Amino acid sequence: MHECSPATSRNPNVLSHISSFNFRINMSLPFLPGNSFNDKLGKEKFHKSHHFGNCNDVSMLVGEHKPGIGGSQLLGQKPKPNRSNIPQGQGNAAPAWVAFDRQVLRFDAYFQEGVHEKPEEQYRIRKCKIYFYLEDDSIQVNEPQVNNSGIPQGTLIKRHRIPLPPPNDAHCYTVEHFNVGSEMTLYGRTFKITGCDQFTYNFLRKLGMRVNPPEDTPGDPHQNYREKMAESQQPLRPYEKVDTLKQFLDHDRHVLRFYCFWNDTEKMFGDVREMILHYFLADDTIEIKEYIHPNSGRDAAPMFLRRARLPKTSPEPLKQPGEITGRTVLNVFGPMGHGGRYILDSLKTGAAITESYTDQDLMVGVTINVWGRKLILADCDDFTKKYYSTKYGVSDFKAVPYKADPPRTGKLEWPPYTGFGSEEDSLCSCMGLLPKPPRRDFIKFMEKDRHGLESNVLRFKARLDTTKPIDMDRRFIISYFLSDDTIAVFEPPVRNSGIIGGKFLERERIQKPDQPRFGTELSEYFTARDLYVGSRLNFHGHYFILIDADEYAFLYMEKQAHGFPMANIDEITRKLAAIAVQQKDVIKEFFRRNDPQSTGLIDYDQFRNLLFQLGGSGLSEHEIMTLARYYSNTQDDKLDLQTLVTITQDHLKKSNFENFTNLADGLAHRDTDNSGFLDVEHVRSTCNAFRVPLPSDLLRALLDKMEKNEEGCINYNQFVAFLNWRDHPTNQSVQAPIKFDRDWTNRQDSANVTSINYTSLLQAVLSRN
């Protein structure tokens, strides 16, 4: 083994040469004792490298590039690429990918590319942009697009770290390599930097670099040659410009519509064919569509003429070749071909001009030529009339009659009902070759089907209209299902009556009496409008008289008063007003006799007898009940204010009504003088507008208990506070007794409606007169 002098051991360059020499010797000599060198000669560090640490306050692998003993690299390992040396500022130092996020240096550069296949040019100058990303020292090169260059342009080099040219390819470009005027080689292509933007200039100055002044980019000979050729070209005729953009912008989607017809009766099997002409003001084109009547025998192709300009002299003979050209030659000098001269017609004196229809040529009553077919404009729409009256001052738009009177057709009669299946099912077999089942009103079924506690079933109590003693005491429950207009009759069983109760009539649609069984028209069926207290019904020969109804039926009919005239309080009051006009003295004497103390109240039985005495058969039992329910005084007498508020809040809570703020704003909007009081009718109409889910009698009773001023107006702020179960709940709870009745017979207490406030009734009746 050879030994080194102390001077040699202190010189690291000499040691590196010795190490490389030892490596070459070891590769050529056998690995035997006495034939190898000591690799540790001159080393002072023999520690194991530290692999994990903190870099920019981030825990990461830091010793990946020095895994050998003493921090030396392994055989064949490349050194770690260098990074940009950017001075660290004062304060908390952030990582580079945070401090320089979205900060990019932009340089203007060019490179020269040789052209070897064209004798007209030897090289080209290609301009590009070099982007240097400060966060990771990556570089991207883009070339701007040049029109008609014929070269694929765009991204020349994608973003990544670019190594230096050999032999320094172990390192990459950093920010120190960039400056205006410098040249840099990227993958064998040399770029010359000619300038940079303001941000790049300021950033380089902050790094302490002297930025050179910008340089001019040399011109491209091929590009200069093409620009000179473009400038030397002259137009073949004087420049012509037809401005159609203004017309399009002014009249886009403006269409004139004319109703016209083509009288083709001169030909065999010809007829009058109706057309619709559309004139588009945006480009003066015309479109014609044919109106095809049902069962006319014509193909369903309504487009008679596609949208295009319509010439006036059509059809024209076929033009000869060369007659319609874009350029017209006037004179020719010299021989034909090479060396000849010609003069172009710039005024188009020999051009073939075809006139087309415009909006000035179209008018009601005018006949136009549509490629040999004579169409008469008979009428137009309102927009077309307004357009012609505004632009041309036309006021006469008398239509041309052309439609013949419709032929008289007999009434279509269907064959009589066969008796098989339902009438609708048998009728569907007559409407087509393929029978289809009758369509069910599914929307009505979904709306009127049971929804929670909303049964949508009207129940009435009825008796038989008979003189037989055994049947006179029988009672029935008639249920009308609103979802499909079916009726079911049930008889509650009565012990020791000798009659077996139960289902009396299966649920079905029941036809009205006195109709032919096998008729050509559909039979009429009983509807909800036909069922009311006091009506007489014929169900398959059994006569029933409705004597009462449940509370749900009364409430439903009163809410849907437009469909139930017997429960419409306005119609009943109007009918009663017409009767009371003629018998005012009888009414006054009746109330004076039955209410001597002038309390304004009267018993229900006396009230009923009075109405029967006045109206006779003009008022039904249901109408009398509706009046009694509307003007009843039961709740006002038996319930105090606290109980009414408790019942009201319970109703609103079950209906999940919480729109109290908007209700208060609506009432305040009607209070024009800001007095805090409103008329009762205004409060009631506002509650109806906001859909307050309260029964009418409960709302009326609550309004009567409210604080009132001298004019009879109520304090609406107090009213809203009583309704607001969220902010002002009551501590009192109302528990109604639960009664279970196995067979509902609608047994009601006679005290439900005991007294009638006839004073309010008289005011409503007299106001009608």
Side-chain angles (χ1 to χ4, degrees), residues 548-561:
D548 205 349
D550 63 350
E551 184 66 18
Y552 178 82
F554 279 116
L555 290 177
Y556 183 86
M557 297 172 74
E558 290 170 1
K559 290 180 180 179
Q560 307 291 335

Side-chain angles (χ1 to χ4, degrees), residues 287-313:
E287 173 188 80
I288 301 178
K289 293 184 177 181
E290 182 179 3
Y291 177 75
I292 301 177
H293 294 274
N295 301 325
S296 62
R298 298 187 182 276
D299 293 336
M303 188 61 68
F304 186 77
L305 179 67
R306 294 188 180 274
R307 180 177 176 179
R309 289 181 177 269
L310 180 62
K312 294 182 179 180
T313 58

Side-chain angles (χ1 to χ4, degrees), residues 460-467 471-478 535-537 542-548:
F460 298 88
K461 183 179 180 181
R463 65 177 178 83
L464 286 174
D465 186 12
T466 180
T467 57
D471 293 336
M472 292 178 64
D473 295 334
R474 298 173 64 180
R475 296 296 180 261
F476 301 87
I477 305 300
I478 298 179
S535 61
R536 186 173 184 268
L537 307 176
H542 298 275
Y543 292 91
F544 295 92
I545 296 179
L546 304 185
I547 58 177
D548 205 349

Side-chain angles (χ1 to χ4, degrees), residues 537-597:
L537 307 176
N538 182 2
F539 293 165
H540 303 304
H542 298 275
Y543 292 91
F544 295 92
I545 296 179
L546 304 185
I547 58 177
D548 205 349
D550 63 350
E551 184 66 18
Y552 178 82
F554 279 116
L555 290 177
Y556 183 86
M557 297 172 74
E558 290 170 1
K559 290 180 180 179
Q560 307 291 335
H562 59 278
F564 298 92
M566 297 298 175
N568 193 337
I569 190 65
D570 294 334
E571 295 292 335
I572 300 172
T573 307
R574 187 180 298 108
K575 185 186 298 185
L576 186 59
I579 299 174
V581 172
Q582 304 174 0
Q583 304 183 22
K584 291 183 179 181
D585 298 335
V586 177
I587 296 175
K588 293 180 180 180
E589 179 64 25
F590 181 84
F591 288 130
R592 186 182 302 109
R593 185 175 62 254
N594 293 278
D595 187 18
Q597 299 179 358

Side-chain angles (χ1 to χ4, degrees), residues 399-417:
V400 178
Y402 66 94
K403 294 184 179 180
D405 296 335
R408 296 182 178 179
T409 57
K411 184 179 179 181
L412 182 62
E413 294 185 1
W414 301 106
Y417 173 53

Side-chain angles (χ1 to χ4, degrees), residues 332-342:
V332 178
F333 300 96
M336 298 296 294
H338 183 70
R341 299 180 181 180
Y342 56 88

